[in-house]
Amino acid sequence: TFYYFLRLCLDKILLQCVLQSRTLSGADAINALRPFYFAVHPDFFGQHPKEREVNENSLKRLNGYLENLQKPGFRSFKPTQLTFYVREREPNSSNVQESFSASGFRAVSFTLHTRDLLSTVLDILNSCSLSTEHVQSLNVSSQPHKEAKSTVNRPIKWDKTYYSFTGFKDPEEELEQAQRVETTLLSWLDYNEASAVKKLKKSLPLRKELERLKIELSHELQLSDIRWQRSWGIAHRCSQLHSLGRLVQQRPEILENVKGRTVVFTDRSGMSAAGHIMLGTMDVHHHWTKIFERLPNYYKLQKRLLLLEDRISQLLGGMQVIYIEELQPLLTLEEYFELLNSFYNKLRDSRLPFHPRSLRGLQMILESDRYAPSLHEFGHFMIPTVCDPAALPWFIFAKAEEARENLKRKEEMMITEKELINTSTERFSLDRLYKEPSVSSAQMIDCCKRLLEESLPYLQGMHLCVSHFYSVLQDGDLCIPWNWK
């Protein structure tokens, strides 16, 4: 019939559009997205742990989307919403390396629904207000690009009566409907449960191996704990513990000074501001060996650091100087000592009107990327190292009572959070329920309270992580946003 012939022609035209628009290769896409990666890469957000984690999670989901685009015959696409913190450019800067302000960034959210690499790359760049001119200069044939552009930008639009008469689905209407429909927890679990269960079952032997290695090494070295800075996969973690185990066998004498310490696998080697032994995952045994050999010197520096904190505390009326790993960037012991020393010298030269022990019981953390002091919801003062000491007393005096109230509320909140996690874990028969560091206690409490009002048979035996996005991790952990609908 005429309409059957018409449908065949339409399918042929659409197929030609797809083939032409996919002239961009995977390597070309990576090159085209270099400005984007430079603007959102987590390594540039060291001073902002929350934003760093958000970008890490979004990059994982984006990479999965790009990989699926390159799979032959892959047709099952869902609109994917992503959020990135994009570093801001200075308006009149010509040097790319210096064109971003020290701490300025903005949150950008966009939804990917394209089915080819070229359109996806352009959507990402445009959404982040980044230039797309360099895309035309990539090493791909210019003619297909022109054809693709002209075809995609001027598609054949059939009258609405065509779809109502033939029964065919209107692609524009389907896309608009998909964008209007908001993902709900139940619908997302229903769609992703099978994939998560499959990945979880596959990871179970590795999870047992990881636990065994962790217990054995902790016992052998008499460690307080073994931790990871990032959410690496189980296989990656096992590999790191195997490497540490081999070093123990080869050089047992260098590990005599680790008793009671915590080992953290992270991006660089050294000792952290919290006094933990950091082992860089990209470093070889030679670098790790040097860190263990330097431990006695690190311990001496740590004693000087504690003394420096006491001196600052005396100048601030007995206020305690603390370091919170979840809220502050991962600093080395040397970096944190220099930060404290600079702040101490500034305070020492100023005559602050604090009566000894008048602020006892209050807490503060030092920050290097802010200019004005503030009070955290957990009750500790956030004091910039560059703030004017003369203005500091008036802020602290004005906020002291509120700070004490927040500290009391923090203790209550931590107890409530722990109780709700235990109740939720038992109610849904979860194997594990945890949250990302960027999720606050208040957000976790709100999330658990609403979960307990639902009936969720999908969660039995699963690992559930409360985050800011929906995601299934490579080892089967289910990540849900704390403010799920």
Side-chain angles (χ1 to χ4, degrees):
T1 66
F2 169 75
Y3 286 108
Y4 178 75
F5 174 77
L6 201 60
R7 181 65 181 177
L8 288 178
C9 293
L10 178 61
D11 289 343
K12 186 175 180 181
I13 293 171
L14 291 175
L15 178 62
Q16 185 180 9
C17 292
V18 171
L19 290 175
Q20 289 175 338
S21 62
R22 286 188 177 178
T23 54
L24 196 69
S25 68
D28 289 332
I30 292 175
N31 286 332
L33 288 174
R34 284 186 185 277
F36 165 75
Y37 288 130
F38 183 78
V40 304
H41 199 283
D43 287 350
F44 292 112
F45 287 80
Q47 301 293 321
H48 307 278
K50 175 184 175 181
E51 289 75 14
R52 176 190 180 112
E53 190 165 357
V54 167
N55 282 9
E56 281 182 350
N57 291 332
S58 293
L59 280 174
K60 289 177 185 176
R61 300 176 66 217
L62 173 60
N63 290 337
Y65 190 94
L66 294 175
E67 288 175 7
N68 286 336
L69 283 178
Q70 299 173 69
K71 290 179 181 178
F74 189 85
R75 296 180 180 274
S76 179
F77 281 90
K78 288 174 55 184
T80 300
Q81 185 173 6
L82 299 173
T83 296
F84 286 98
Y85 286 96
V86 182
R87 296 193 298 150
E88 290 280 25
R89 291 178 179 270
E90 295 291 351
N92 298 320
S93 177
S94 59
N95 188 311
V96 175
Q97 295 293 336
E98 300 177 356
S99 60
F100 293 95
S101 57
S103 60
F105 49 78
R106 56 192 166 88
V108 175
S109 296
F110 54 89
T111 301
L112 292 179
H113 47 72
T114 47
R115 293 171 178 261
D116 63 89
L117 280 174
L118 178 59
S119 298
T120 302
V121 166
L122 292 175
D123 273 3
I124 294 170
L125 294 174
N126 286 325
S127 298
C128 297
S129 301
L130 297 171
S131 173
T132 59
E133 293 180 3
H134 63 286
V135 178
Q136 303 299 328
S137 63
L138 294 174
N139 188 23
V140 288
S141 56
S142 58
Q143 186 62 26
H145 271 254
K146 292 178 181 177
E147 293 175 0
K149 183 175 180 181
S150 60
T151 310
V152 173
N153 289 344
R154 295 190 295 104
I156 296 178
K157 292 187 177 182
W158 303 100
D159 191 271
K160 298 294 181 181
T161 54
Y162 164 75
Y163 297 106
S164 59
F165 184 83
T166 61
F168 295 136
K169 294 181 178 180
D170 184 348
E172 288 187 358
E173 186 177 325
E174 279 189 309
L175 180 58
E176 290 175 3
Q177 185 177 5
Q179 291 175 328
R180 285 196 303 268
V181 174
E182 187 174 18
T183 302
T184 64
L185 178 62
L186 287 172
S187 65
W188 185 83
L189 288 174
D190 185 53
Y191 187 84
N192 291 279
E193 180 203 12
S195 170
V197 169
K198 183 178 179 181
K199 290 180 178 180
L200 181 61
K201 287 182 177 179
K202 186 178 179 181
S203 73
L204 288 178
L206 276 175
R207 290 180 186 270
K208 292 180 180 178
E209 173 72 1
L210 178 66
E211 190 63 22
R212 182 188 68 81
L213 289 170
K214 186 176 177 180
I215 292 174
E216 287 183 359
L217 279 172
S218 296
H219 177 73
E220 184 176 1
L221 301 176
Q222 300 183 59
L223 295 172
S224 173
D225 194 12
I226 298 177
R227 303 212 302 255
W228 285 263
Q229 180 198 2
R230 296 193 190 180
S231 54
W232 282 297
I234 304 298
H236 195 174
R237 297 187 182 200
C238 284
S239 175
Q240 292 159 0
L241 291 185
H242 278 300
S243 294
L244 181 57
R246 286 193 296 270
L247 181 59
V248 172
Q249 294 176 353
Q250 296 167 5
R251 299 288 303 277
E253 73 282 357
I254 65 171
L255 303 173
E256 297 174 353
N257 297 311
V258 300
K259 182 179 179 180
R261 294 284 171 169
T262 293
V263 168
V264 181
F265 290 96
T266 180
D267 294 328
R268 50 181 176 166
S269 298
M271 179 168 280
S272 73
H276 302 326
I277 301 168
M278 301 190 304
L279 299 181
T281 57
M282 300 301 292
D283 292 339
V284 294
H285 283 182
H286 174 69
H287 295 98
W288 289 6
T289 301
K290 282 188 173 182
I291 296 303
F292 288 118
E293 290 174 344
R294 292 174 186 163
L295 285 180
N297 292 329
Y298 279 126
Y299 297 155
K300 291 178 182 178
L301 180 60
Q302 189 177 28
K303 288 180 180 179
R304 292 175 57 196
L305 186 145
L306 294 174
L307 181 61
L308 198 53
E309 287 182 338
D310 287 340
R311 289 176 177 172
I312 293 174
S313 177
Q314 292 171 10
L315 293 174
L316 293 178
M319 184 187 296
Q320 183 186 6
V321 182
I322 60 174
Y323 177 84
I324 305 178
E325 291 181 280
E326 293 80 8
L327 299 177
Q328 295 178 258
L330 187 65
L331 299 175
T332 64
L333 197 65
E334 298 94 331
E335 290 170 344
Y336 190 49
F337 182 86
E338 289 299 321
L339 202 65
L340 287 171
N341 192 48
S342 172
F343 186 66
Y344 170 70
N345 290 330
K346 184 180 293 186
L347 292 182
R348 187 181 56 183
D349 297 336
S350 305
R351 295 185 178 181
L352 300 177
F354 292 117
H355 188 276
R357 297 185 297 278
S358 61
L359 299 178
R360 195 172 181 179
L362 297 181
Q363 299 174 340
M364 63 155 285
I365 65 173
L366 270 180
E367 292 202 326
S368 58
D369 60 345
R370 293 177 184 265
Y371 293 92
S374 61
L375 179 63
H376 193 270
E377 62 176 345
F378 280 172
H380 56 264
F381 287 94
M382 305 171 73
I383 309 298
T385 55
V386 297
C387 73
D388 180 12
L392 193 57
W394 310 112
F395 178 81
I396 293 177
F397 286 143
K399 296 286 186 178
E401 188 60 32
E402 183 182 349
R404 295 187 191 278
E405 293 175 359
N406 287 1
L407 283 171
K408 290 181 182 178
R409 194 182 304 118
K410 171 191 173 183
E411 300 301 324
E412 298 171 356
M413 195 176 292
M414 298 291 283
I415 295 173
T416 303
E417 180 185 10
K418 186 175 181 180
E419 290 176 347
L420 284 171
I421 289 176
N422 292 336
T423 303
S424 301
T425 302
E426 184 178 350
R427 162 78 182 278
F428 300 113
S429 301
L430 287 163
D431 194 71
R432 185 188 178 201
L433 173 59
Y434 63 104
K435 68 173 185 177
E436 291 182 345
S438 57
V439 176
S440 69
S441 292
Q443 292 170 338
M444 187 65 173
I445 289 172
D446 176 71
C447 176
C448 290
K449 282 182 176 179
R450 293 189 299 112
L451 280 176
L452 289 170
E453 296 174 357
E454 301 291 328
S455 175
L456 302 169
Y458 307 96
L459 300 180
Q460 185 173 356
M462 301 302 294
H463 291 243
L464 183 65
C465 173
V466 177
S467 176
H468 297 276
F469 305 98
Y470 285 108
S471 176
V472 178
L473 301 184
Q474 61 186 16
D475 294 304
D477 294 47
L478 289 166
C479 291
I480 64 170
W482 68 270
N483 56 345
W484 53 270
K485 305 296 182 183

